[in-house]
Amino acid sequence: GAVVSQHPSWVICKSGTSVKIECRSLDFQATTMFWYRQFPKQSLMLMATSNEGSKATYEQGVEKDKFLINHASLTLSTLTVTSAHPEDSSFYICSARIREYEQYFGPGTRLTVT
Amino acid sequence: GQNIDQPTEMTATEGAIVQINCTYQTSGFNGLFWYQQHAGEAPTFLSYNVLDGLEEKGRFSSFLSRSKGYSYLLLKELQMKDSASYLCAPMDSNYQLIWGAGTKLIIKP
């Protein structure tokens, strides 16, 4: 099956710093990638939809200047959390879509901001 | 609006059968997915239903009734490793997955 990787799998950073998370589709090309955030015991929250070569589409309430998304190629999308604060601590998950009915999730990145 | 309704938590015994129900309301419909999510991990795909009826895949089966906005996931011969959250996720007219909080399934020996 298709494989999606995320790096890093976990990261601890200090408040005010920026963190970049990479999402790669390893054996397929993904025209669309999604970024989710999940707080403990809550549902997955879609943050943004990323299409290769174009600007990401952010969901309502998600600050695009704080969560920078770059989809530079058909196999790579990055999410940068800028000026991170403790409330940004969460589980960030990406997924890559091959076609409408077929998308694969990365293993997730646990971010802790101290 | 778009809405998913699943029980918050269920408990079952190892070796038994459990059915997790899901009702949904979406803007348009392009099928319904079930995912399994272990604590601290990303969701993994279990099933996809787009037509009414039952889809069987090993110990797991999923049922869909589009007219009723209803689906269920049936897990047979429960194993301890099946302890996880089970997420019902319909796909709307924009091919976006709509997520609820999922059902936490606890398996007891």
Side-chain angles (χ1 to χ4, degrees):
Chain A
V3 178
V4 176
S5 71
Q6 271 185 251
H7 179 80
S9 55
W10 60 270
V11 58
I12 301 173
C13 71
K14 291 188 176 179
S15 190
T17 60
S18 295
V19 172
K20 180 186 281 189
I21 302 170
E22 291 187 351
C23 176
R24 291 181 186 273
S25 56
L26 297 185
D27 51 0
F28 66 98
Q29 293 185 327
T31 52
T32 303
M33 289 185 172
F34 302 93
W35 286 97
Y36 294 90
R37 181 167 55 178
Q38 187 176 35
F39 294 104
K41 298 184 180 180
Q42 293 188 23
S43 62
L44 285 165
M45 259 184 44
L46 180 65
M47 298 175 68
T49 302
S50 168
N51 290 297
E52 186 265 338
S54 63
K55 290 184 179 179
T57 302
Y58 290 81
E59 295 299 302
Q60 197 170 11
V62 178
E63 299 173 59
K64 62 181 181 181
D65 294 330
K66 180 170 179 62
F67 298 99
L68 302 178
I69 292 172
N70 186 300
H71 196 152
S73 75
L74 287 171
T75 59
L76 173 64
S77 176
T78 60
L79 167 68
T80 302
V81 183
T82 62
S83 186
H85 288 105
E87 56 266 30
D88 298 323
S89 298
S90 187
F91 191 44
Y92 292 85
I93 308 171
C94 73
S95 71
R97 186 161 78 181
I98 296 177
R99 52 189 70 90
E100 286 87 1
Y101 310 107
E102 194 173 353
Q103 71 177 29
Y104 298 90
F105 285 88
T109 297
R110 187 157 304 282
L111 170 64
T112 302
V113 184
T114 61
Chain B
Q2 310 208 93
N3 186 57
I4 313 295
D5 193 22
Q6 293 179 244
T8 304
E9 188 173 296
M10 298 180 73
T11 303
T13 305
E14 191 177 15
I17 299 173
V18 71
Q19 177 173 313
I20 302 174
N21 295 322
C22 169
T23 57
Y24 63 88
Q25 287 179 309
T26 54
S27 301
F29 182 74
N30 278 299
L32 185 141
F33 293 79
W34 282 94
Y35 285 88
Q36 179 189 61
Q37 187 177 25
H38 284 100
E41 298 181 11
T44 55
F45 171 81
L46 289 178
S47 68
Y48 172 63
N49 293 64
V50 65
L51 299 176
D52 289 351
L54 186 69
E55 295 272 348
E56 296 185 72
K57 193 188 289 186
R59 294 190 298 116
F60 293 8
S61 303
S62 55
F63 172 84
L64 176 67
S65 169
R66 289 171 295 172
S67 62
K68 295 181 180 177
Y70 168 70
S71 175
Y72 68 72
L73 181 70
L74 190 72
L75 293 78
K76 302 176 186 175
E77 300 169 19
L78 286 170
Q79 302 174 9
M80 297 303 292
K81 67 178 182 179
D82 297 330
S83 292
S85 287
Y86 290 86
L87 312 176
C88 162
M91 182 175 274
D92 69 12
S93 57
N94 294 320
Y95 299 100
Q96 292 265 38
L97 288 173
I98 310 302
W99 299 93
T103 298
K104 182 178 180 182
L105 178 62
I106 300 168
I107 310 297
K108 294 187 174 178

